Amino acid sequence: GSLEKPRAVIMLIKAGKPVDMAIAKLLEVLEEGDMIIDGGNEWYENTQRRQALAATKGILYMGMGVSGGEEGARNGPSLMPGGPKAAYQRVEKILVKAAAQVNDGPCVTYIGKGGAGNYVKMVHNGIEYGDMQLIAESYDLLKSVGGLSNDELAQVFSD
């Protein structure tokens, strides 16, 4: 193989069954000491189940929330890795370089064991979706009750 051993493989694929299918294929070729990093929006309990499965073969498994969208694609994402501390320590330098860089450092830190990384990403998404709902309801109230025109609403939301 072309990857230096022990290998670290990162997946960024649709959560759920596709992840299980990819893991099944990876477990056929990975060896003890290798690592799988799941960067998808996965349910944290699935991450914990997959960590246990990988551990039976001596493979480290890390669930890592990734946030940033198109801005993160250009300037680096915020990374929320969770799982075995030893897994994080193995790839920490790479994650620090790949993460968004801000005034007080890179947007990555070890979150904790188990599915902690995916759990924090889930909470992050909940806050983000709550913000979007607040904006939508504010728009509706200002339009329906306040009687603001679209131009007036554009001004309110651009301030």
Side-chain angles (χ1 to χ4, degrees):
S2 61
L3 294 177
E4 186 178 315
K5 293 183 182 182
R7 297 167 286 193
V9 178
I10 187 167
M11 306 182 299
L12 291 127
I13 56 178
K14 183 179 179 182
K17 189 174 180 179
V19 176
D20 288 322
M21 293 167 60
I23 291 168
K25 291 293 185 187
L26 286 170
L27 292 179
E28 292 175 8
V29 296
L30 293 180
E31 300 168 356
E32 186 173 341
D34 289 340
M35 175 175 20
I36 299 171
I37 304 167
D38 179 6
N41 272 343
E42 189 55 77
W43 179 244
Y44 71 97
E45 291 179 351
N46 285 342
T47 299
Q48 292 170 177
R49 174 179 55 80
R50 293 172 182 141
Q51 284 173 352
L53 173 65
T56 66
K57 298 193 170 250
I59 295 170
L60 296 169
Y61 190 94
M62 194 165 70
M64 182 173 67
V66 178
S67 181
E70 64 276 358
E71 192 69 24
R74 290 183 183 91
N75 302 308
S78 173
L79 302 173
M80 297 154 258
K85 181 83 174 204
Y88 175 72
Q89 289 169 333
R90 258 192 40 205
V91 294
E92 181 177 14
K93 288 180 183 177
I94 295 168
L95 297 181
V96 164
K97 291 278 188 191
Q101 305 295 316
V102 294
N103 293 338
D104 60 348
C107 293
V108 61
T109 190
Y110 175 68
I111 302 296
K113 64 182 184 173
N118 290 120
Y119 189 88
V120 167
K121 174 62 172 164
M122 176 185 68
V123 171
H124 163 88
N125 285 347
I127 293 167
E128 201 168 56
Y129 300 152
D131 285 346
M132 289 188 287
Q133 185 68 32
L134 176 63
I135 292 166
E137 290 185 23
S138 298
Y139 181 95
D140 184 51
L141 280 171
L142 291 169
K143 177 104 175 157
S144 302
V145 178
L148 273 65
S149 69
N150 287 337
D151 288 337
E152 291 169 319
L153 284 164
Q155 183 60 45
V156 166
F157 284 98
S158 67
D159 288 344

